[in-house]
Amino acid sequence: LKRYFELSKENPQYSIDLTKGKISPYDNLFRKHAAEIDWDWRLIASQGYVESHFDTTVVSWAGARGIMQIMPRTAQAFGLSPNLITNPEANIGTAVKIMGELDKSLKKHVPDPEERRKFVIAAYNSGIAHIYDAIALAAKYGKNPHIWDGNVAEALLMKANPEYYNDPVCKYGYFRGKQTTAYVVKVMDFYGKCRKHIPQ
C-alpha cells in the first residue's frame, strides 16, 4: 500500500515550460524566503516542484500537506497552525525554516556549504536521523562522509540491509533509502534545468 501511494505521487504528464522565465506561480515567495537562509531560491523551488508540482491541495499517503509537503507534526513544532499548513506563504516559509535548522545540524558533519545542501535536501525527505546513520556508515566502510553522490547516498541505501542497519554505528535502524536518494537526484536535476533558463 505504501509503495502504491508513493508511486501515485509521480505525475509524468506534468511539465513546466522554463523558457517563459518562471518556475512557478510562487517564485516571489521562494525568492523571499530563500534569502533568509542564503540559499538559491531556484533550488528550493525545485524541491517544491518535486514535492507537489506546486499544487497546494496535495496530501501525501503519510499526511504531508501543501507545496512543500510538510507533516502536521513538523508544522506544529515550527509554530505553523494546521489551518495555515496549505497557505503558500506559510508553507514555503516554514519549509525554509526547517531546511535552515537541518543545515545548522549538518554543518559539523559536512563543512562545504554547497555539498551540504544535498544532505539537507535528503534529510528534508527522510528525517535527519537516517542521514546521520548514513554518514556514520560511510565513514566506517571506506566512503567519504562529506560527499553525497556515490558516498553517503550509497551508505543510505545500505540501511535496507540487516548487515548494516544492525551495525553498532547505525542507531536508527532499517530504512529503505531508494526514495530519498531518488528525491535528491530529481531535485538536483530540475535545479540544473532552472539554472539554465531562469535568472538568479
Side-chain angles (χ1 to χ4, degrees), residues 142-174:
K143 299 178 186 297
N144 188 333
H146 306 304
I147 302 292
W148 178 257
D149 293 324
N151 289 275
V152 177
E154 293 299 313
L156 187 65
L157 294 172
M158 289 159 62
K159 275 173 59 74
N161 184 327
E163 179 187 349
Y164 298 109
Y165 69 70
N166 289 320
D167 190 288
V169 303
C170 194
K171 296 184 175 10
Y172 299 98
Y174 169 83

Side-chain angles (χ1 to χ4, degrees), residues 123-192:
Y124 187 89
N125 181 265
S126 69
I128 200 166
H130 293 301
I131 304 307
Y132 285 150
D133 272 357
I135 289 169
L137 286 168
K140 182 170 179 176
Y141 291 98
K143 299 178 186 297
N144 188 333
H146 306 304
I147 302 292
W148 178 257
D149 293 324
N151 289 275
V152 177
E154 293 299 313
L156 187 65
L157 294 172
M158 289 159 62
K159 275 173 59 74
N161 184 327
E163 179 187 349
Y164 298 109
Y165 69 70
N166 289 320
D167 190 288
V169 303
C170 194
K171 296 184 175 10
Y172 299 98
Y174 169 83
F175 185 67
R176 187 168 61 84
K178 284 183 180 178
Q179 186 190 353
T180 296
T181 54
Y183 174 78
V184 176
V185 169
K186 286 175 190 171
V187 171
M188 297 309 294
D189 281 355
F190 190 73
Y191 175 50

